[in-house]
Amino acid sequence: SPTGDSSMVLQAQEEIIEMEDVFSVKLKRRRFVGQKKGGTLLGITIFKCLHKEENKLTDCAIHLNNLSEDHCHSWFRHLKEILNGFQNRPKSLKVFVNPSSHKREATHVYYEQVAPLFKLADIKTDVTVTEYEGHALSVLKECELQAFDGVVCVGGDGSVSEVAHGLLLKAQIDAGKDTDYIPTPVKAPVPLGVIPAGTANILAHTLYGIKHAVTATLHIVMGHIQPVDVCTFSTPSKLLRFGFSAMFGFGARTLALAEKHRWMPSNQRKDFAFIKTLADLKPEECELSFLPLHIPQEDSHENDRITLLYLGSKDQWHKIQGHFLNVSIMAIPCLCSMAPRGLAPNTRLNNGSMALIVVQNTSRTEFIKHLKRYTSIKNQFNFPFVETYTVQEVKVQPRLKSGFDAKENTYLNAASAEGNYPWNIDGDLMKEASEVHVRVHPQLINLYGVNTDDLECSQTTCNCI
């Protein structure tokens, strides 16, 4: 029964609420200032997840008024029972907050926007505010994960990468696996939630189609689960990392330079590193070996002119040698504001494949044209110097030039001693000069989110390049 003017009753319209959109129900009471308990019962309030445009989610409250204690308690109990029946919705979460992400906004984002929604949904949280790089990893190694329904990371891509790696590493330790060599890793025991509070937030864009903390939180609260492929990055002797995507060459050198200038403001640092690396553009000489994924002919995309699908013998490795400006290996599409279709639009979240994108040596002008193409919906790979492959394994072997130029040899040896071959794995810098072996493991982790293929295409544009 609506309160207020009785003429409003005539204007009242019937509305249907789907219970799968409801995430909380509370008894509504009128209380005086400072009064913590009791108060006059006014009815119940239902909190609902609202789907807005541009993939955005928000919460809204629907007030149902009734002064009967029995009536309200009966409805309250019944609605709570229905809500408790939704299987994937978390009741307890382990949360990691990286206070130094982006403009040091992660703590504010968590306590102002995320925590109130978790509280409203009656989700218990155990929060760790990380104090140094590797803190989340060391906590996860000791964490009793069975006490939680999920793990949440509030931060940028580097923070999320560390937590995902820690979660999967803990799963291997618990399963008694040798963590130096893991050909067949076991699945993460609980889902991972990503709250964007960094600069690029590629994983958040890929899962939600948008960088929006409330949207990310509501996907977690509603228990939207998405299985996702994960890569292992290994040297011949040890596992380096679990991750979703990696770049070698330009993408890694840019990150390495940005990390050296962490005293700069975040956006300024990234712009500086990008322009400086572009000015000093030079190729890496290396050998790439890859095992193509065998996809039936009819499943290949006719539009992706340069995507090469090998349908030969099953375990046939292919080799490419040469000078490459950039090598990308991605198990997920990697959407971001700079690339609305993704850095690897030819792969999906969980189709058991990786996109190998090889940019051969070319002029700076042509390379910039290729980079600029990412911001549009045109095919960014439609260049003679860009090749893309759909693969299940890749080996990257950097090659040092040998020659009699003493000056050049001195430079090369000094450079390699400094760890001249950086890798950008999910926005995290790793220095590794020896061969790196990358394997994809289908649906190794569950992430809170949706498959962005099902969402409207993000219209975000960006003038970064």
Side-chain angles (χ1 to χ4, degrees):
S1 58
T3 53
D5 190 349
S6 59
S7 64
M8 292 295 288
V9 177
L10 299 174
Q11 296 171 23
Q13 292 183 334
E14 187 178 278
E15 185 183 346
I16 293 171
I17 300 168
E18 296 288 346
M19 280 305 292
E20 64 181 19
D21 293 332
V22 174
F23 66 88
S24 183
V25 57
K26 301 286 180 192
L27 289 167
K28 182 179 159 193
R29 297 180 184 276
R30 182 187 290 124
R31 287 178 180 151
F32 299 109
V33 178
Q35 187 180 356
K36 298 281 190 223
K37 291 185 177 179
T40 309
L41 186 69
L42 301 175
I44 62 173
T45 303
I46 290 171
F47 295 91
K48 174 186 165 189
C49 177
L50 207 59
H51 296 257
K52 302 193 89 174
E53 55 195 36
E54 294 182 343
N55 309 321
K56 198 175 276 189
L57 301 182
T58 187
D59 59 302
C60 73
I62 296 161
H63 303 288
L64 304 176
N65 305 307
N66 194 296
L67 303 180
S68 160
E69 288 267 356
D70 288 347
H71 203 66
C72 287
H73 278 286
S74 174
W75 270 85
F76 176 76
R77 279 194 304 273
H78 187 59
L79 291 173
K80 284 288 276 186
E81 206 175 293
I82 295 171
L83 293 183
N84 288 335
F86 291 112
Q87 292 302 308
N88 291 331
R89 296 194 180 180
K91 303 279 192 299
S92 174
L93 293 169
K94 175 67 196 165
V95 180
F96 292 95
V97 180
N98 179 359
S100 56
S101 280
H102 193 34
K103 297 171 183 171
R104 303 189 179 277
E105 62 187 23
T107 312
H108 174 79
V109 165
Y110 178 72
Y111 287 107
E112 297 291 320
Q113 298 178 50
V114 180
L117 284 170
F118 284 164
K119 187 179 178 186
L120 196 58
D122 298 319
I123 297 171
K124 291 176 183 164
T125 54
D126 179 37
V127 182
T128 297
V129 178
T130 56
E131 294 168 15
Y132 52 87
E133 193 178 331
H135 188 179
L137 180 60
S138 60
V139 171
L140 276 166
K141 279 185 181 175
E142 304 300 321
C143 188
E144 295 299 328
L145 287 172
Q146 59 267 33
F148 303 101
D149 299 315
V151 173
V152 172
C153 177
V154 187
D157 287 322
S159 314
V160 175
S161 173
E162 183 186 323
V163 172
H165 172 65
L167 192 54
L168 282 159
L169 199 61
K170 172 66 171 168
Q172 312 317 308
I173 293 166
D174 289 350
K177 295 253 180 187
D178 173 7
T179 54
D180 280 342
Y181 179 68
I182 314 173
T184 52
V186 297
K187 192 168 179 171
V190 293
L192 171 62
V194 180
I195 309 285
T199 314
N201 300 290
I202 282 173
L203 204 54
H205 269 284
T206 307
L207 288 167
Y208 317 125
I210 191 172
K211 178 197 171 182
H212 187 240
V214 169
T215 297
T217 308
L218 286 170
H219 278 297
I220 296 168
V221 166
M222 302 301 285
H224 296 156
I225 297 284
Q226 192 60 45
V228 177
D229 299 342
V230 180
C231 304
T232 47
F233 298 88
S234 316
T235 63
S237 59
K238 65 168 183 164
L239 172 77
L240 295 173
R241 192 86 178 202
F242 286 98
F244 303 97
S245 65
M247 283 187 275
F248 177 78
F250 178 79
R253 287 193 178 281
T254 304
L255 179 65
L257 192 60
E259 288 297 310
K260 280 184 179 175
H261 294 78
R262 283 203 79 85
W263 50 270
M264 284 183 168
S266 178
N267 286 343
Q268 200 178 320
R269 176 173 78 235
K270 284 188 164 52
D271 288 347
F272 163 77
F274 181 85
I275 292 162
K276 181 87 169 68
T277 311
L278 207 50
D280 300 336
L281 190 65
K282 57 177 179 281
E284 307 283 4
E285 187 183 355
C286 64
E287 179 181 285
L288 301 176
S289 313
F290 60 91
L291 194 56
L293 184 76
H294 296 265
I295 299 175
Q297 198 83 46
E298 62 269 20
D299 288 355
S300 63
H301 298 278
E302 288 177 22
N303 298 334
D304 300 329
R305 188 171 68 80
I306 306 174
T307 300
L308 305 178
L309 302 174
Y310 288 88
L311 305 164
S313 82
K314 191 169 185 303
D315 294 320
Q316 189 181 349
W317 282 82
H318 296 259
K319 281 189 182 179
I320 326 171
Q321 254 180 293
H323 293 78
F324 306 117
L325 290 176
N326 193 63
V327 176
S328 299
I329 303 164
M330 298 181 169
I332 61 172
C334 295
L335 273 65
C336 62
S337 57
M338 190 200 84
R341 285 185 66 234
L343 297 172
N346 302 344
T347 192
R348 296 290 172 263
L349 279 175
N350 51 23
N351 64 353
S353 76
M354 298 182 289
L356 169 63
I357 302 159
V358 181
V359 182
Q360 297 192 2
N361 196 14
T362 187
S363 69
R364 187 181 289 107
T365 310
E366 288 297 298
F367 185 61
I368 290 170
K369 278 185 193 171
H370 159 64
L371 294 179
K372 276 192 163 183
R373 193 74 72 80
Y374 276 103
T375 62
S376 73
I377 55 168
K378 293 177 190 170
N379 188 346
Q380 59 264 47
F381 309 131
N382 198 2
F383 292 95
F385 54 87
V386 181
E387 294 170 12
T388 75
Y389 305 89
T390 303
V391 300
Q392 53 190 328
E393 286 188 50
V394 183
K395 290 177 185 173
V396 180
Q397 174 76 61
R399 305 187 85 76
L400 276 174
K401 296 170 199 161
S402 58
F404 297 102
D405 187 330
K407 185 180 174 185
E408 189 173 331
N409 264 338
T410 306
Y411 166 75
L412 283 166
N413 291 333
S416 64
E418 287 173 17
N420 189 40
Y421 300 108
W423 279 76
N424 176 345
I425 298 181
D426 296 330
D428 237 5
L429 184 66
M430 295 211 68
K431 291 184 178 177
E432 197 55 56
S434 60
E435 179 184 305
V436 174
H437 187 174
V438 189
R439 290 186 186 89
V440 66
H441 305 279
Q443 305 187 15
L444 196 61
I445 195 169
N446 282 335
L447 298 180
Y448 288 109
V450 288
N451 195 330
T452 42
D453 291 346
D454 304 332
L455 298 173
E456 296 171 35
C457 227
S458 171
Q459 298 301 308
T460 318
T461 56
C462 173
N463 302 318
C464 302
I465 298 177

